[in-house]
């Protein structure tokens, strides 16, 4: 057919009515065809025979074929998956409805906090690690223990711990798994909560190791944190942490310039997928900085700090205590709380929409938030 789109094959029957499509498919269970709409030329419908009736679905193509959220390389694969799903849901509807009533998840060891109401608080602010996944070969849900049917995108896999579940079961599993170290490919750009849970620490080792090295030999360095280290050497430190983890060598023998270590710490904090002051709390801190009354302003910042996820709070607390100690050497390093606020404001807090104008407008408040956290570290934390 001249009007046939290049991404359809012999299944395309051109402009035909729904009734004629029904006649063509009658008696051929599992048969299908594609027809062009009579009312809306240029739109296409998948007609599929199942359960002694013809089902019609609006069909789309954007490089892959789809009628819902699943996308397929070919119409044949789409129909195969649809027939599997239709058959399972028709023949086992009652069973599927009861599938999640007796979960085996509690016994699998993915979390010790399954019945603890704090699990959702613990996961606030982190990246959602669960993604729709296509499993090769038979797989069973690790929540309800039932088969995960379908040709592609049969369920959801957690990139942190490897938990495999049906999509509907994933809604019932708390977002508080114990990440598997084998799945953590790098240290930089890794979600903060995921990293500390995988290593069973309260803070990322990058923060601890860099601060330890800076306090050992760099507190009197002029322009500490303001002066940039050589970018190629900072990148070397990043690669060392990603490759060697806590065994990374950042001593004076490896990097004599302390600004390289300070630069690596700033890079780590800047590259977090969710900033230390999380996206969902960003506006709360910006508004707090705009409060004219000093006491009320501190109180508002303190309330925001208490809403941070534990790993973010502990990292920020430890960093602010360190920066407070940096200001004690201001006579040598020329870095007071205001200067450090200018450096760390955009590093620790970023607007969720990543708008350059918003960032520019908020710079004064970003600086003030960090400055106040340093100056009042003992009270706020």
């Amino acid at each position: 057919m001249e009007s046939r789109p290049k991404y359809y094959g012999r299944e395309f029957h051109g402009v035909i009515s729904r009734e004629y499509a029904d006649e063509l498919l009658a008696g051929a269970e599992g048969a299908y065809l594609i027809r062009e709409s009579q009312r809306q030329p240029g739109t296409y419908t998948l007609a599929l025979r199942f359960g002694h009736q013809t089902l019609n679905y609006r069909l789309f193509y954007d490089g892959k074929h789809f009628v819902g959220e699943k996308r397929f390389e070919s119409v044949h694969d789409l129909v195969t998956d649809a027939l599997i799903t239709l058959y399972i849901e028709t023949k086992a509807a009652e069973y599927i409805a009861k599938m999640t009533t007796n979960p085996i998840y509690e016994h699998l060891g993915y979390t010790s906090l399954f019945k603890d109401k704090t699990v959702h608080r613990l996961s606030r602010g982190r990246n959602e690690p669960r993604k729709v996944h296509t499993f090769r070969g038979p797989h069973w849900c690790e929540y309800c223990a039932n088969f995960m049917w379908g040709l592609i995108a049969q369920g959801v896999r957690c990139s942190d711990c490897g938990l495999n579940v049906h999509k509907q079961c994933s809604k019932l599993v708390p977002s508080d798994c114990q990440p598997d170290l084998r799945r953590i490919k790098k240290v930089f750009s890794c979600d903060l909560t995921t990293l500390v849970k995988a290593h069973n620490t309260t803070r990322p080792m990058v923060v601890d190791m860099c601060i330890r090295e800076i306090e050992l030999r760099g507190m009197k360095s002029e322009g500490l944190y303001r002066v940039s280290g050589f970018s190629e050497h900072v990148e070397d430190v990043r690669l060392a942490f990603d490759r060697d983890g806590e065994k990374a060598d950042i001593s004076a023998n490896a990097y004599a310039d302390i600004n390289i270590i300070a630069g690596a710490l700033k890079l780590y904090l800047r590259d977090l997928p969710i900033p230390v002051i999380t996206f969902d709390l960003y506006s709360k801190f910006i508004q707090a900085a705009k409060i004219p009354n000093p006491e009320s302003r501190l109180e508002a910042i303190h309330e925001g700090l208490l809403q941070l996820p534990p790993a973010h709070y502990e990292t920020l607390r430890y960093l602010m205590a360190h920066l407070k100690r940096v200001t004690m050497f201001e006579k040598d390093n020329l870095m007071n709380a205001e200067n450090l606020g200018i450096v760390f404001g955009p590093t620790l807090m970023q607007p969720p929409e990543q708008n350059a104008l918003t960032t520019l407008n908020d710079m004064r408040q970003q600086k003030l938030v960090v400055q106040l956290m340093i100056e009042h570290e003992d009270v706020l934390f």
Side-chain angles (χ1 to χ4, degrees):
M1 287 188 172
E2 290 182 6
S3 62
R4 184 183 74 192
K6 61 182 180 180
Y7 41 83
Y8 293 141
R10 292 174 59 195
E11 69 272 11
F12 183 73
H13 281 59
V15 180
I16 62 174
S17 67
R18 178 185 289 233
E19 292 74 21
Y20 184 49
D22 189 44
E23 285 181 33
L24 291 172
L25 297 174
E29 196 76 354
Y32 67 96
L33 60 81
I34 296 172
R35 61 183 178 84
E36 187 172 0
S37 172
Q38 290 178 313
R39 295 180 181 176
Q40 294 178 287
T43 62
Y44 304 97
T45 298
L46 171 68
L48 173 64
R49 192 71 180 180
F50 180 82
H52 308 295
Q53 60 179 322
T54 301
L55 307 174
N56 291 276
Y57 301 95
R58 177 79 178 275
L59 186 60
F60 301 90
Y61 181 80
D62 64 355
K64 291 190 177 181
H65 303 275
F66 62 99
V67 296
E69 60 181 336
K70 287 187 180 183
R71 282 165 163 72
F72 300 83
E73 296 290 343
S74 69
V75 175
H76 182 83
D77 285 350
L78 186 155
V79 171
T80 303
D81 186 82
L83 288 170
I84 292 170
T85 303
L86 286 167
Y87 188 85
I88 293 287
E89 291 180 350
T90 301
K91 302 294 182 181
E94 187 177 343
Y95 181 76
I96 290 171
K98 296 178 181 177
M99 250 175 20
T100 59
T101 56
N102 294 305
I104 62 166
Y105 175 77
E106 294 176 61
H107 310 293
L108 290 178
Y110 282 98
T111 176
S112 59
L113 296 167
F114 183 71
K115 292 181 178 177
D116 192 326
K117 292 180 180 177
T118 64
V119 291
H120 296 293
R121 180 180 66 81
L122 291 174
S123 65
R124 283 189 63 177
R126 59 185 298 210
N127 271 347
E128 178 51 66
R130 299 174 190 164
K131 295 179 174 65
V132 174
H133 187 77
T134 294
F135 297 93
R136 305 299 177 193
H139 273 75
W140 281 261
C141 176
E142 293 172 78
Y143 180 84
C144 69
N146 288 282
F147 184 65
M148 299 170 72
W149 62 86
L151 190 65
I152 69 164
Q154 302 96 326
V156 173
R157 169 172 285 177
C158 177
S159 58
D160 284 354
C161 68
L163 179 73
N164 301 319
V165 292
H166 290 113
K167 189 174 180 181
Q168 63 267 36
C169 290
S170 71
K171 299 170 185 175
L172 303 171
V173 180
S175 300
D176 193 53
C177 59
Q178 180 61 42
D180 186 342
L181 266 177
R182 291 171 297 181
R183 297 180 177 275
I184 308 297
K185 305 296 184 185
K186 55 187 178 179
V187 173
F188 276 61
S189 301
C190 177
D191 176 73
L192 200 156
T193 299
T194 296
L195 189 68
V196 300
K197 291 183 66 151
H199 288 272
N200 196 25
T201 58
T202 54
R203 296 178 302 273
M205 94 275 281
V206 178
V207 174
D208 280 8
M209 290 175 63
C210 287
I211 286 178
R212 192 183 309 128
E213 194 66 27
I214 290 165
E215 295 199 350
L216 180 68
R217 58 187 175 96
M219 297 295 268
K220 294 184 179 182
S221 177
E222 185 176 329
L224 180 63
Y225 288 117
R226 179 177 53 79
V227 176
S228 300
F230 192 46
S231 59
E232 286 189 13
H233 291 166
V234 172
E235 181 65 14
D236 286 343
V237 174
R238 182 186 72 80
L239 292 172
F241 273 115
D242 283 344
R243 182 183 64 247
D244 304 324
E246 57 189 15
K247 294 180 181 178
D249 182 8
I250 58 171
S251 66
N253 292 332
Y255 303 99
D257 183 4
I258 197 63
N259 294 312
I260 294 169
I261 309 304
L265 176 59
K266 289 190 294 181
L267 177 64
Y268 171 77
L269 296 170
R270 189 166 59 247
D271 279 2
L272 286 170
I274 296 176
V276 176
I277 292 178
T278 57
F279 290 129
D280 58 344
L281 289 173
Y282 176 84
S283 60
K284 187 176 184 68
F285 279 88
I286 293 296
Q287 293 306 314
K290 293 178 179 179
I291 297 173
N293 182 276
E295 288 187 12
S296 301
R297 186 168 54 205
L298 280 182
E299 189 176 329
I301 291 174
H302 184 246
E303 287 176 7
L305 291 172
L306 294 177
Q307 294 179 46
L308 287 170
H312 289 245
Y313 178 89
E314 176 56 25
T315 300
L316 193 59
R317 182 199 66 77
Y318 191 73
L319 179 65
M320 291 303 112
H322 162 66
L323 295 180
K324 182 73 172 281
R325 290 191 290 274
V326 170
T327 63
M328 294 177 183
F329 293 87
E330 181 189 350
K331 186 177 178 181
D332 299 295
N333 60 37
L334 308 180
M335 296 301 287
N336 57 28
E338 184 177 5
N339 293 336
L340 290 167
I342 293 170
V343 173
F344 279 94
T347 300
L348 297 175
M349 50 193 304
Q350 302 162 27
E353 64 275 9
Q354 297 296 319
N355 183 293
L357 186 60
T358 303
T359 304
L360 193 63
N361 291 336
D362 293 346
M363 281 183 69
R364 183 173 173 275
Q365 284 76 34
Q366 290 174 346
K367 183 266 295 182
L368 185 57
V369 167
V370 176
Q371 178 183 339
L372 290 171
M373 287 194 294
I374 295 171
E375 291 174 343
H376 303 278
E377 170 265 335
D378 55 336
V379 175
L380 291 172
F381 296 93

